[in-house]
Amino acid sequence: MIAITGATGQLGQLAVASLLKKVPAKEIIAIARNAGKAKNLAALGVQVRQADYNQPVQWEAALAGVEKLLLISASDIGQRAAQHATVISAAKRASVKLLVYTSILHAETSAIALAAEHRETEAAIRASGMPFVILRNGWYTENHTAGLKAALSMGAVYGCAGDGRFSTASREDFAEAAAAVLTSNGHAGQVYELAGDTAYTLAQYASEVSRQTGKAIGYVNLPEADFKKALLGAGLPEPIAELLANADTAASKGALFNDGRQLNKLIGRATTPLAVSVKAAL
Ligand code: NAP
């Protein structure tokens, strides 16, 4: 049995969809904190189990009989290392044979503040002694295209990444990689740096948006503090504005660039080009 945490999230839903192309639905367990949100997965024949990262007692039943587990990193920044530790120790007690974890690109050396909790989780996984695979996922292209509407209304893409290049890929690409690792052999002990085949700067992103919309959209590079202020002005909560500005600054120094093409190799095809993601978002 293969179980997936965060199965009702954006990456989780896509991972279940990718797995369904490779194994029968009855071999998949979708773990959700809110089982009601997983009705569409249950309708596909996937077994749904309820467990919340903040409720350690729920994980014994959730992981019973699980051989392979995809631990999709949680979303409560600052709480995640402890939440992941809950799942890792429950997986160990349940004798899970392979733990696959979605980390962040270059986790060991990344200057992105978000990487700290991933480093802590990677260390906990190693310390558990369980066979593991670390999927160090790069930036989702959707992190950029999610701001398309705002960019079109403001006539510009704003950021503080300078000429930093982003080797992004779509969530679907990363989900497919997870499904590939869960359904083929020879991955135990591997740490994969997963990134898109082609990198772009935010100026190149803005220029792709211009090309597809026919509107003049430029890239405006701001000092980090000003970009954070702009994000706050757009209504983002303080911690998120802080994290996004920090990530852009780290990207300006190469934190989100990688040209190893390991994602391409795992999924056996080219990663989704920026132009395709922009078109889909438009
Ligand atoms: P998402 O849509 O926010 O999904 C997060 C999932 O975690 C959801 O299913 C959510 O459940 C579940 N979850 C949150 N708190 C939980 C709890 N206490 N107990 C059990 N489940 C809980 O995020 P995503 O886009 O799929 O991305 C997956 C993860 O990648 C994120 O959580 C984050 O760690 C990381 N991430 C990566 C990037 C990147 O660019 N690589 C960008 C953003 C995030 P509900 O469905 O009930 O909300």
Side-chain angles (χ1 to χ4, degrees):
M1 296 294 283
I2 301 175
I4 301 178
T5 73
T8 50
Q10 298 166 91
L11 184 66
Q13 298 262 3
L14 292 167
V16 172
S18 280
L19 272 177
L20 282 168
K21 291 181 190 154
K22 295 172 182 284
V23 295
K26 62 178 173 23
E27 291 176 19
I28 302 171
I29 299 169
I31 304 180
R33 66 171 150 181
N34 175 358
K37 213 178 153 187
K39 279 186 185 145
N40 64 324
L41 298 174
L44 296 169
V46 169
Q47 193 184 135
V48 174
R49 294 184 184 175
Q50 193 274 332
D52 188 310
Y53 298 136
N54 298 324
Q55 304 293 331
V57 290
Q58 297 177 341
W59 287 88
E60 185 179 339
L63 296 179
V66 170
E67 288 159 322
K68 296 179 182 179
L69 173 65
L70 174 62
L71 170 55
I72 293 185
S73 54
S75 46
D76 284 342
I77 314 291
Q79 313 296 317
R80 299 188 295 173
Q83 293 178 329
H84 298 159
T86 293
V87 180
I88 295 162
S89 57
K92 171 96 176 157
R93 288 194 301 277
S95 303
V96 166
K97 293 185 181 64
L98 188 70
L99 175 62
V100 180
Y101 172 65
T102 63
S103 182
I104 192 170
L105 194 64
H106 308 307
E108 260 160 16
T109 54
S110 179
I112 297 184
L114 284 168
E117 287 184 297
H118 289 294
R119 278 193 287 274
E120 218 179 303
T121 301
E122 288 192 13
I125 290 170
R126 286 177 194 278
S128 76
M130 263 182 295
F132 65 83
V133 183
I134 307 290
L135 303 175
R136 287 185 175 162
N137 288 352
W139 229 220
Y140 302 150
T141 312
E142 290 90 340
N143 294 346
H144 290 144
T145 56
L148 251 181
K149 201 171 167 191
L152 288 172
S153 76
M154 294 183 299
V157 170
Y158 289 86
C160 60
D163 291 330
R165 286 185 292 165
F166 293 78
S167 306
T168 69
S170 67
R171 276 193 185 86
E172 201 171 350
D173 296 336
F174 292 116
E176 213 171 300
V181 162
L182 288 162
T183 56
S184 59
N185 295 324
H187 302 289
Q190 295 293 324
V191 177
Y192 292 114
E193 302 286 352
L194 300 182
D197 293 348
T198 310
Y200 57 85
T201 63
L202 290 182
Q204 288 169 327
Y205 166 62
S207 141
E208 179 58 28
V209 174
S210 291
R211 191 183 70 78
Q212 291 199 29
T213 58
K215 294 184 180 149
I217 307 289
Y219 171 56
V220 180
N221 196 56
L222 298 170
E224 182 176 335
D226 292 355
F227 180 44
K228 183 180 161 186
K229 230 181 272 170
L231 292 171
L232 289 171
L236 266 75
E238 214 278 337
I240 304 292
E242 170 81 28
L243 282 169
L244 290 177
N246 164 274
D248 251 25
T249 298
S252 75
K253 299 169 191 154
L256 291 170
F257 175 78
N258 177 274
D259 59 2
R261 292 189 158 228
Q262 288 188 324
L263 179 54
N264 176 312
K265 283 178 204 130
L266 276 183
I267 62 181
R269 61 166 174 81
T271 60
T272 307
L274 174 64
V276 171
S277 295
V278 168
K279 188 167 181 218
L282 285 172

